[in-house]
Amino acid sequence: MDNLSDALKKLKITATDSTADSLEGCLDCLLQALAQNNMETSEKIQKSGVLQVFASLLMPQSSCTAKVANIIAEVARNEFMRNPCVDAGLIPPLVQMLNCKDQEVLLQTGRALGNICYDSHEGRNAVDHAGGAHIVVDLIRSLCSKTDPASEKLLTVFCGMLMNYSNENDTLQSQLINMGVIPTLVKLLGIHCQNAALTEMCLVAFGNLAELESSKEQFAYTNIAEELVKLFKKQVEHDKKEMIFEVLAPLAENDVIKLQLVEAGLVECLLEVVQKTVDSDKEDDVAELKTASDLMVLLLLGDESMQKLFEGGRGSVFQRVLSWIPSNSHQLQLAGALAIANFARNDGNCIHMVDNGIVQKLMDLLDRHVEDGNVTVQHAALSALRNLAIPVVNKAKMLSAGVAEAVLKFLRSEMPPVQFKLLGTLRMLIDAQAEAAEQLGKNAKLVERLVEWCEAKDHAGVMGESNRLLSALIRHSKSKDVIRTIVQSGGIKHLVTMATSEHVIMQNEALVALALIAALELESLQKEVQNMAFLEVVSKLRSHENKTVAQQASLTEQRLAVES
């Protein structure tokens, strides 16, 4: 360490006019000390004031430049050294060194800039200010097609530098995207897919950039889908697969890329992962199963990709996903139910699925989760049933299959997401189904729970759906018994409140229900009407800007006036 102190002193005194040889000796001494104890040596370098000297040593024609850049790269591995490097004015001369032709200088300069940018706001700003990112992107472009080891090493360092420069910084990520870095990196991945280190850098860079919306449009114009699927097929190690998954997930949020991934064969890869991991309880396998099945569900969120995989209900992918529902894995049950909910996004698919026995599979799944069940599975299975109940022709079939009874088993649930889907499913099922509406509307337990949920102020969705189901029970059953049950349970005041909702559809539904109450059952209601400024609410709505609501309010008012 005495040598180190001597070297630091000598450097300070002789930096300006010493011979290259004596300088080299001092720099070698520093590098040696850093290799032995990086942190302690870095502290000494900082205290000695030598950092400022380095700025003057970074010269294109100097033979010491690569060593100086190497020392800066080493000290900047310590967090406490990054700001001092910026303050010492090292960034502008380092960025200038990027124009040098010497490979060793480029390599060490790339390392130095990358390390200074790591988790350092000041470092990134200084590199941005000096125009460093632009030069690095151009360098990557010019080196992109070279596959010799030295060029690949440089490319790896430069990709790493860009990654540290833009990590978790939207502004700098946008800047790189605008420089056109995405097509360059995709091309790089294609050419260098044999080089593990470089491939890894590309993937981390993609992971960084893929979160931004603007990047997805650019990615969609490249063959990223094809490259990632090709790369995924080669992977054996869990960590490598996980890295690719981390890029695929944000990219698959884009509908164009969803379709590209399906066409590139990602689905087959995912099904294979599921098959290999489903019976394993190893932590890595459980994680892979979750990621693969979640990604599968995400791909089905795109209309085109979903329809392509449905293949008229005969698709092998659709059949495989069906087989997940009776599985013993909660993760697969969940993914299977969510996938069915996604396939059930148009009438044709829904009708085909109901005719082919899907409803029974979903009811069996719900049955397994009634007592202390898995809430996410309950929610997903109810979502699927709700979607399947939308086409008119499916309602009677699903009612006679016992769906309403299966759903009512979850009335006890205290979980708002389950409550919300349960209400939506029942509302879809009774639409224009008078008999079912009457049967459910006379079910005092159900109506009492609805009235309770109409007051769930913390959960606007549950509150809205409860009101809508109360109104639907009256509108579709047109039954005095149903109205009596709702009156006795204290539900009328909620329909009056619903008539003043900000949602036009809800106002209208409430008014239709109130008009029916007036026509069918006003005697038992006189007291309620007077107590609740019932008429006042209705007459206010006569002047509503929405014609349908205004018209319905007039009709309701006439009904009430006649009866009272």
Side-chain angles (χ1 to χ4, degrees):
M1 277 299 168
D2 292 344
N3 293 356
L4 174 63
S5 310
D6 293 347
L8 288 170
K9 274 186 204 141
K10 205 165 170 187
L11 262 177
K12 262 188 102 169
I13 299 162
T14 58
T16 38
D17 57 1
S18 71
T19 60
D21 285 353
S22 61
L23 262 183
E24 292 256 353
C26 293
L27 297 172
D28 284 338
C29 177
L30 259 60
L31 280 169
Q32 225 171 341
L34 282 163
Q36 280 165 359
N37 189 333
N38 189 315
M39 200 174 191
E40 198 180 309
T41 306
S42 296
E43 281 172 349
K44 290 194 170 171
I45 289 174
Q46 188 194 353
K47 282 190 187 127
S48 71
V50 159
L51 282 178
Q52 284 76 359
V53 174
F54 288 159
S56 60
L57 293 178
L58 288 165
M59 314 233 281
Q61 61 280 21
S62 158
S63 60
C64 299
T65 304
K67 277 184 183 165
V68 174
N70 188 356
I71 291 169
I72 298 170
E74 286 302 318
V75 300
R77 286 167 62 182
N78 301 286
E79 192 181 345
F80 66 88
M81 289 299 287
R82 289 170 200 150
N83 284 1
C85 285
V86 176
D87 297 339
L90 296 180
I91 300 289
L94 279 170
V95 168
Q96 284 312 305
M97 289 305 102
L98 291 170
N99 298 308
C100 174
K101 294 284 171 273
D102 182 288
Q103 284 219 319
E104 185 59 21
V105 171
L106 283 174
L107 187 73
Q108 298 304 344
T109 303
R111 283 185 64 231
L113 288 170
N115 289 354
I116 292 171
C117 284
Y118 185 79
D119 260 354
S120 161
H121 186 62
E122 292 72 13
R124 291 166 183 183
N125 276 352
V127 173
D128 179 21
H129 206 70
H134 215 294
I135 304 174
V136 171
V137 171
D138 285 344
L139 280 168
I140 292 176
R141 239 177 237 131
S142 64
L143 288 165
C144 186
S145 306
K146 297 185 173 169
T147 53
D148 60 286
S151 298
E152 289 201 320
K153 200 169 178 188
L154 268 182
L155 282 166
T156 308
V157 166
F158 288 147
C159 283
M161 182 255 158
L162 288 185
M163 194 177 75
N164 288 354
Y165 171 72
S166 67
N167 188 30
E168 289 179 357
N169 184 315
D170 288 3
T171 314
L172 297 179
Q173 288 173 355
S174 297
Q175 179 196 72
L176 292 180
I177 290 166
N178 294 336
M179 287 176 193
V181 76
I182 286 174
T184 305
L185 289 176
V186 175
K187 186 178 165 193
L188 196 70
L189 183 69
I191 296 171
H192 301 273
C193 56
Q194 302 303 328
N195 183 313
L198 185 46
T199 302
E200 209 161 294
M201 280 299 176
C202 280
L203 287 173
V204 180
F206 289 150
N208 266 352
L209 299 170
E211 298 292 341
L212 278 194
E213 222 28 66
S214 55
S215 78
K216 291 172 193 168
E217 288 150 32
Q218 283 215 14
F219 274 119
Y221 285 107
T222 68
N223 63 338
I224 183 77
E226 212 178 303
E227 292 298 352
L228 288 175
V229 172
K230 204 160 67 182
L231 193 64
F232 188 84
K233 285 177 178 167
K234 288 185 192 157
Q235 303 310 321
V236 200
E237 289 168 47
H238 167 74
D239 292 349
K240 292 280 169 24
K241 286 185 193 167
E242 208 58 42
M243 275 186 94
I244 301 173
F245 275 144
E246 275 166 24
V247 180
L248 286 169
L251 286 180
E253 285 165 14
N254 176 288
D255 281 2
V256 178
I257 301 176
K258 278 188 183 80
L259 191 59
Q260 291 171 352
L261 289 168
V262 168
E263 286 171 344
L266 178 62
V267 172
E268 289 70 18
C269 296
L270 297 177
L271 290 172
E272 201 177 312
V273 170
V274 168
Q275 202 174 349
K276 279 184 183 161
T277 54
V278 66
D279 297 319
S280 164
D281 45 16
K282 282 200 342 225
E283 205 176 316
D284 284 356
D285 289 344
V286 172
E288 252 176 63
L289 178 74
K290 177 171 169 34
T291 313
S293 50
D294 284 349
L295 192 48
M296 184 76 191
V297 172
L298 185 56
L299 291 177
L300 293 172
L301 277 174
D303 287 338
E304 281 185 80
S305 48
M306 178 272 288
Q307 214 48 46
K308 190 177 170 65
L309 294 170
F310 189 66
E311 291 182 74
R314 291 179 299 281
S316 61
V317 173
F318 172 65
Q319 297 302 333
R320 286 281 285 282
V321 168
L322 271 192
S323 73
W324 293 357
I325 294 175
S327 131
N328 286 323
S329 150
H330 280 186
Q331 175 57 34
L332 276 197
Q333 293 169 3
L334 170 66
L338 287 173
I340 297 303
N342 286 344
F343 279 126
R345 282 213 312 279
N346 62 52
D347 283 7
N349 292 6
C350 288
I351 292 165
H352 181 280
M353 287 194 278
V354 168
D355 287 346
N356 284 275
I358 293 266
V359 170
Q360 194 54 52
K361 283 189 166 67
L362 290 167
M363 290 196 328
D364 292 344
L365 176 61
L366 276 176
D367 251 357
R368 296 167 71 176
H369 288 277
V370 175
E371 299 301 326
D372 310 319
N374 180 302
V375 174
T376 48
V377 175
Q378 292 171 358
H379 179 259
L382 289 167
S383 299
L385 286 170
R386 181 197 174 279
N387 289 2
L388 289 168
I390 293 171
V392 179
V393 294
N394 281 357
K395 298 180 195 294
K397 291 174 186 168
M398 290 175 71
L399 285 164
S400 63
V403 172
E405 292 75 9
V407 169
L408 285 171
K409 289 177 187 169
F410 294 90
L411 261 189
R412 295 197 305 272
S413 173
E414 293 303 329
M415 306 309 275
V418 174
Q419 296 167 353
F420 180 71
K421 285 298 176 189
L422 172 152
L423 293 163
T425 308
L426 290 176
R427 191 166 60 78
M428 284 303 158
L429 280 171
I430 62 166
D431 192 4
Q433 307 295 311
E435 200 182 317
E438 178 161 13
Q439 208 180 342
L440 287 173
K442 290 193 297 194
N443 178 334
K445 263 198 181 135
L446 168 64
V447 173
E448 278 162 21
R449 195 70 161 132
L450 292 184
V451 171
E452 184 188 325
W453 285 341
C454 282
E455 290 165 6
K457 301 254 183 318
D458 297 345
H459 303 287
V462 172
M463 199 161 88
E465 276 292 347
S466 301
N467 278 304
R468 292 189 76 185
L469 184 52
L470 266 187
S471 148
L473 291 168
I474 295 170
R475 288 182 297 113
H476 298 304
S477 70
K478 299 182 177 62
S479 148
K480 285 190 173 193
D481 290 338
V482 169
I483 293 171
R484 272 190 209 109
T485 310
I486 291 174
V487 170
Q488 281 158 8
S489 303
I492 302 302
K493 63 172 186 277
H494 296 300
L495 292 173
V496 176
T497 312
M498 180 181 169
T500 61
S501 154
E502 67 247 38
H503 301 293
V504 170
I505 293 178
M506 285 175 71
Q507 286 182 336
N508 209 33
E509 289 174 356
L511 287 168
V512 175
L514 292 172
L516 279 164
I517 293 170
L520 294 168
E521 187 59 40
L522 203 64
E523 307 80 71
S524 69
L525 260 186
Q526 288 294 3
K527 202 161 77 269
E528 297 258 351
V529 174
Q530 279 135 19
N531 289 353
M532 286 185 297
F534 200 84
L535 282 161
E536 204 182 304
V537 168
V538 177
S539 68
K540 262 191 201 152
L541 288 169
R542 263 198 344 222
S543 52
H544 196 282
E545 61 202 35
N546 183 288
K547 279 206 184 94
T548 324
V549 172
Q551 216 172 350
Q552 192 53 59
S554 296
L555 283 171
T556 306
E557 194 176 39
Q558 284 162 24
R559 283 273 170 76
L560 291 168
V562 170
E563 296 291 332
S564 50

